[in-house]
């Protein structure tokens, strides 16, 4: 109905890569805005809170959501193939990659062998973990795949500050030979001096 091909010839590798890139960009941008809406008072209380039951998400938490959220967030996933229809193989690959990415993002792990580490602006598990860690009315890290929307619209400021504090704690633990905030006074004085 939307023009997805099923016959021969099969798409070239370049066609598949180009279409997957477009699909990821469309999905990421539209998902950002829908996810941001779901963190409003009404959206969160009535729909999205089910997904945030996991404050430290695991892979199984990726699809764990209210039925209406599954439908609403399905729109960005199918919007790319509807706008730029390709071959059925590209569509299947897109759905598989999108699900694998969602599970990886919710896994809580950074896998050193994953090819996503080479993708510019890729968020990953650490980025999305912060979103769940902040909790109920989180107003940061809404992106599903890439981080550019959060950066452009300023919704990653809390995450960037959090990472800055963690880097500072790591340096402080080396300098002062402490762990787990041992020299909190020295650490806070250093933060105030910036």
């Amino acid at each position: 109905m939307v023009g997805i091909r099923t016959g021969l010839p099969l798409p070239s590798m370049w066609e598949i890569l180009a279409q997957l890139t477009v699909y990821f960009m469309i999905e990421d941008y539209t998902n950002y805005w829908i996810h941001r809406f779901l963190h409003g008072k009404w959206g969160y209380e009535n729909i999205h809170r089910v997904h945030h039951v996991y404050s430290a998400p695991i892979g199984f938490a990726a699809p764990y959501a209210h039925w209406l959220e599954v439908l609403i967030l399905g729109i960005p996933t199918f919007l790319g193939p509807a706008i730029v229809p390709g071959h059925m193989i590209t569509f299947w690959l897109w759905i598989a990659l999108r699900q694998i990415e969602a599970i990886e993002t919710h896994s809580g792990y950074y896998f050193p062998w994953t090819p996503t580490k080479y993708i510019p602006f890729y968020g990953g598990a650490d980025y999305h973990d912060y979103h769940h860690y902040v909790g109920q009315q989180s107003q940061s890290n809404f992106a599903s795949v890439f981080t550019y929307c959060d950066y452009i619209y300023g919704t990653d400021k809390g995450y960037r500050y959090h990472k800055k504090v963690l880097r500072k704690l790591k340096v402080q633990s080396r300098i002062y030979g402490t762990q787990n905030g041992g020299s909190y006074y020295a650490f806070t004085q250093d933060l105030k001096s910036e």
Side-chain angles (χ1 to χ4, degrees):
M1 196 163 88
V2 295
I4 293 177
R5 301 187 322 268
T6 58
L8 295 174
L10 296 177
S12 70
M13 188 58 77
W14 291 113
E15 181 183 347
I16 291 172
L17 287 174
Q19 287 176 333
L20 288 176
T21 301
V22 169
Y23 295 172
F24 268 110
M25 297 301 286
I26 291 171
E27 191 278 339
D28 195 63
Y29 187 77
T30 52
N31 185 291
Y32 171 86
W33 287 105
I34 293 171
H35 191 187
R36 193 168 173 177
F37 162 76
L38 289 173
H39 273 270
K41 185 174 175 48
W42 185 89
Y44 191 86
E45 288 176 3
N46 294 294
I47 302 170
H48 196 52
R49 68 179 163 76
V50 173
H51 180 70
H52 275 269
V53 165
Y54 293 97
S55 59
I58 57 173
F60 292 116
Y64 185 75
H66 189 280
W67 65 268
L68 189 55
E69 180 174 353
V70 172
L71 289 176
I72 292 170
L73 289 179
I75 293 168
T77 302
F78 291 101
L79 195 58
I83 293 172
V84 184
H87 196 277
M88 183 59 78
I89 289 176
T90 308
F91 180 72
W92 286 339
L93 185 59
W94 159 241
I95 296 299
L97 288 173
R98 185 64 194 96
Q99 291 305 307
I100 290 166
E101 188 281 328
I103 291 167
E104 179 187 342
T105 299
H106 285 86
S107 71
Y109 293 103
Y110 168 75
F111 298 109
W113 62 82
T114 184
T116 55
K117 66 182 177 184
Y118 302 110
I119 299 173
F121 307 108
Y122 179 74
D126 183 54
Y127 194 76
H128 198 69
D129 274 0
Y130 178 78
H131 174 79
H132 279 264
Y133 168 74
V134 172
Q136 182 178 0
Q137 291 298 316
S138 171
Q139 293 300 314
S140 64
N141 296 23
F142 298 116
S144 64
V145 181
F146 306 109
T147 60
Y148 70 93
C149 281
D150 283 310
Y151 183 78
I152 290 169
Y153 301 112
T155 51
D156 68 342
K157 290 178 184 174
Y159 173 75
R160 285 188 279 146
Y161 179 76
H162 177 73
K163 295 305 280 184
K164 177 182 167 184
V165 169
L166 289 178
R167 280 191 303 275
K168 194 101 170 142
L169 277 171
K170 197 174 194 177
V171 169
Q172 293 295 331
S173 69
R174 286 191 202 128
I175 292 172
Y176 297 109
T178 59
Q179 283 186 311
N180 301 324
S183 183
Y184 181 76
Y185 178 77
F187 168 70
T188 55
Q189 295 309 308
D190 284 349
L191 270 182
K192 287 180 184 175
S193 68
E194 290 184 355

